[in-house]
Amino acid sequence: MKVLIVGGGGREHAIAASAAKSSRVDKIYCAPGNAGIGKIAECVPIGAMEFDKLVSFAKEKEIDFTIIGMDDPLAGGIVDEFEKAGLKVFGPRKNAAILEGSKAFSKDLMKKYNIPTAAYETFDDPKEALAYLETAKMPIVLKADGLALGKGVLICKTLEEAKAGVKEIMEDKKFGSAGNHMVVEEFMTGREVSVLTFVDGKTIQIMSSAQDHKRAKDGDEGLNTGGMGTFSPSPFYTAEVDQFCREHIYQKTVDAMAAEGREYKGVIFFGLMLTEDGPKVLEYNARFGDPEAQVVLPRMKNDIIDVMEACVDGTLGKLNLEFEDNAAVCVVLASDGYPLSYEKGFEIGGEENFEGKDGYYCFHAGTKLNENGKVVTNGGRVLGITAKGKDLKEARANAYAATEWISFDNKYMRHDIGKAIDEA
Ligand code: AMP
Ligand code: GLY
């Protein structure tokens, strides 16, 4: 079969690598893709938001199955457009992708269906938000309602910071129209866990857990980023936590969406906080996490196309989702300066060191081929270096060893990815 993947980051490279292993797949296209994806797929220069062009391309090439990797096209209704054209596509429709697209929607859903999450209020008038903050307990969390590239969350320690935050989000519109509405939320403490799941409208199947490292610098200092590294599984996601989440969070979310007339098919990524009062939902995402996908998918035993097709067909209940009994760690190699300003266009050397090495992966995020056909840096997060090991410690040692195989100017990484493993 012919597969089209929409997106062009490390997540889409991990999806493409899994699809390439499927005996059912003859050809993979990726729009727009990147230099690494280009080694296993044909990259086509169509943007993820160019729905008409993507649909025409899929029809012309007789694509059998399309996988949407990114949140923006999902929230914009790309799945509805593909379905209207009679094309088979993996991901939630627009009315279900709102689970990630609107924080106010997801908070109201959790309240209505009694799914554990932080206490909150929503505002569309900055004056009312400011009045509320005067009486609220600090620290407090402010969230722009809509998609803001993972950056629309402000954690405010003092009332002054919170007031400045309301101005940034609702008045200065730092995150654009995402700031027309705002959620003000109780600050929670605990360990964070990312749980990716497959959903077919009624059945939900849980993938192996993972933990991300969102801050730019060692010791969780510095600015929030898309994610600087991950490990899977999380030793903090115990059987007891899993049991609680299955009872109070996962299936309840799927059923709530169905009850609201927003049948959910695709991936739900549960961002959980393991608080003293039990696991609570920090956020929902309507797609795989990045770089979570880079440690979870390489450990999945099933054929990814079988699983995704079962989600679309509503037959996920018949399938047994299986993961390897090992661990994986991903260390992101970024451009120094990310997430603020950084230089691009530096040649990347050493990728040949990964050839023939089982259990090692060099996933590309911000890379491209330059005019001389050389692979060069083209973004903040450049590569995701993933390695497996028999346990987390071995996987971490392997991943950090492999980061040394790669060279490029201004290469930056965190040196403490997976440090939490030592405390488990
Ligand atoms: P989100 O985009 O909602 O995942 O938020 C980004 C990050 O902000 C999360 O990964 C948490 O580290 C942090 N965060 C979000 N909401 C809260 C909260 N209610 N309490 C504490 N930290 C939070
Ligand atoms: N790594 C976090 C995310 O994909 O949203």
Side-chain angles (χ1 to χ4, degrees):
M1 71 198 282
K2 291 189 218 164
V3 171
L4 168 65
I5 299 170
V6 176
R11 165 182 48 218
E12 286 75 23
H13 196 176
I15 294 170
S18 289
K21 282 196 306 192
S22 167
S23 56
R24 301 175 57 197
V25 174
D26 304 306
K27 168 100 186 165
I28 306 173
Y29 295 93
C30 190
N34 62 35
I37 296 172
K39 291 184 186 165
I40 49 173
E42 185 176 329
C43 294
V44 281
I46 307 177
M49 296 306 287
E50 296 183 283
F51 298 173
D52 290 348
K53 284 191 191 166
L54 288 169
V55 167
S56 305
F57 177 83
K59 278 189 172 160
E60 183 197 315
K61 296 289 182 190
E62 298 179 327
I63 300 290
D64 301 291
F65 197 71
T66 299
I67 303 165
I68 313 300
M70 301 167 67
D71 42 20
D72 280 331
L74 288 170
I78 191 170
V79 167
D80 308 59
E81 294 306 313
F82 270 70
E83 284 183 346
K84 256 187 246 158
L87 293 159
K88 202 160 187 179
V89 56
F90 176 81
R93 292 182 191 132
K94 184 175 183 167
N95 75 350
I98 190 174
L99 191 61
E100 170 170 9
S102 166
K103 294 196 192 280
F105 171 84
S106 68
K107 295 296 293 188
D108 290 346
L109 186 86
M110 287 186 268
K111 189 189 248 175
K112 181 167 172 191
Y113 292 91
N114 209 8
I115 296 166
T117 188
Y120 74 102
E121 296 287 336
T122 51
F123 297 96
D124 46 26
D125 177 352
K127 276 196 215 78
E128 284 174 21
L130 288 169
Y132 172 79
L133 287 172
E134 293 286 350
T135 61
K137 208 171 112 212
M138 300 294 140
I140 201 148
V141 184
L142 309 185
K143 298 186 173 184
D145 179 46
L147 289 179
L149 297 167
K151 299 198 180 74
V153 175
L154 301 178
I155 295 176
C156 305
K157 293 198 186 79
T158 63
L159 180 60
E160 283 61 48
E161 272 182 48
K163 283 180 173 168
V166 172
K167 184 167 180 298
E168 266 180 43
I169 293 177
M170 298 193 89
E171 288 172 358
D172 304 346
K173 296 270 158 49
K174 189 169 168 196
F175 309 108
S177 59
N180 290 345
H181 306 280
M182 192 181 71
V183 173
V184 178
E185 195 175 279
E186 164 204 6
F187 176 75
M188 300 189 286
T189 51
R191 283 198 188 275
E192 281 184 46
V193 184
S194 301
V195 178
L196 307 177
T197 66
F198 288 108
V199 183
D200 75 350
K202 42 186 197 300
T203 302
I204 181 163
Q205 295 240 22
I206 317 302
M207 293 181 236
S208 187
S209 62
Q211 184 178 319
D212 192 10
H213 300 65
K214 288 207 165 110
R215 301 296 197 95
K217 297 194 173 146
D218 284 8
D220 290 328
E221 302 279 334
L223 296 171
N224 249 325
T225 70
M228 294 300 291
T230 38
F231 57 82
S232 170
S234 163
F236 308 103
Y237 189 79
T238 58
E240 193 190 351
V241 171
D242 182 63
Q243 180 60 32
F244 180 93
C245 296
R246 282 174 195 266
E247 228 169 274
H248 299 281
I249 296 177
Y250 302 144
Q251 188 68 49
K252 269 169 99 173
T253 301
V254 176
D255 295 345
M257 290 299 280
E260 293 293 309
R262 298 173 183 273
E263 180 189 62
Y264 196 105
K265 292 184 175 192
V267 166
I268 301 181
F269 163 170
F270 294 82
L272 303 176
M273 181 81 95
L274 309 183
T275 75
E276 280 193 341
D277 306 327
K280 293 189 182 178
V281 178
L282 271 173
E283 61 160 347
Y284 292 117
N285 292 304
R287 39 137 188 111
F288 288 96
D290 191 1
E292 284 88 339
Q294 301 180 46
V295 284
V296 172
L297 289 179
R299 298 182 52 238
M300 190 168 87
K301 289 189 190 172
N302 306 67
D303 181 318
I304 192 170
I305 303 298
D306 287 347
V307 182
M308 290 182 162
E309 212 172 38
C311 290
V312 179
D313 294 343
T315 55
L316 193 59
K318 294 192 187 135
L319 201 137
N320 194 16
L321 199 61
E322 286 187 291
F323 283 79
E324 292 170 2
D325 184 21
N326 57 9
V329 169
C330 170
V331 179
V332 169
L333 300 184
S335 303
D336 196 12
Y338 172 73
L340 297 173
S341 63
Y342 49 82
E343 290 175 78
K344 303 193 277 199
F346 299 118
E347 210 174 296
I348 299 171
E351 208 186 337
E352 66 283 358
N353 293 314
F354 286 79
E355 278 162 26
K357 294 235 178 53
D358 238 19
Y360 289 84
Y361 306 81
C362 179
F363 292 122
H364 287 228
T367 68
K368 68 168 190 184
L369 289 178
N370 72 3
E371 51 286 358
N372 306 318
K374 301 276 190 208
V375 179
V376 297
T377 65
N378 191 44
R381 293 192 291 179
V382 178
L383 300 171
I385 304 300
T386 294
K388 292 185 195 173
K390 65 176 186 309
D391 55 22
L392 285 163
K393 284 188 181 162
E394 188 180 279
R396 178 175 60 185
N398 291 345
Y400 271 108
T403 61
E404 299 301 323
W405 304 346
I406 294 287
S407 58
F408 58 86
D409 285 352
N410 292 2
K411 172 178 147 186
Y412 173 82
M413 66 180 141
R414 273 182 65 162
H415 289 89
D416 63 348
I417 301 302
K419 188 163 176 284
I421 297 164
D422 301 327
E423 295 157 28

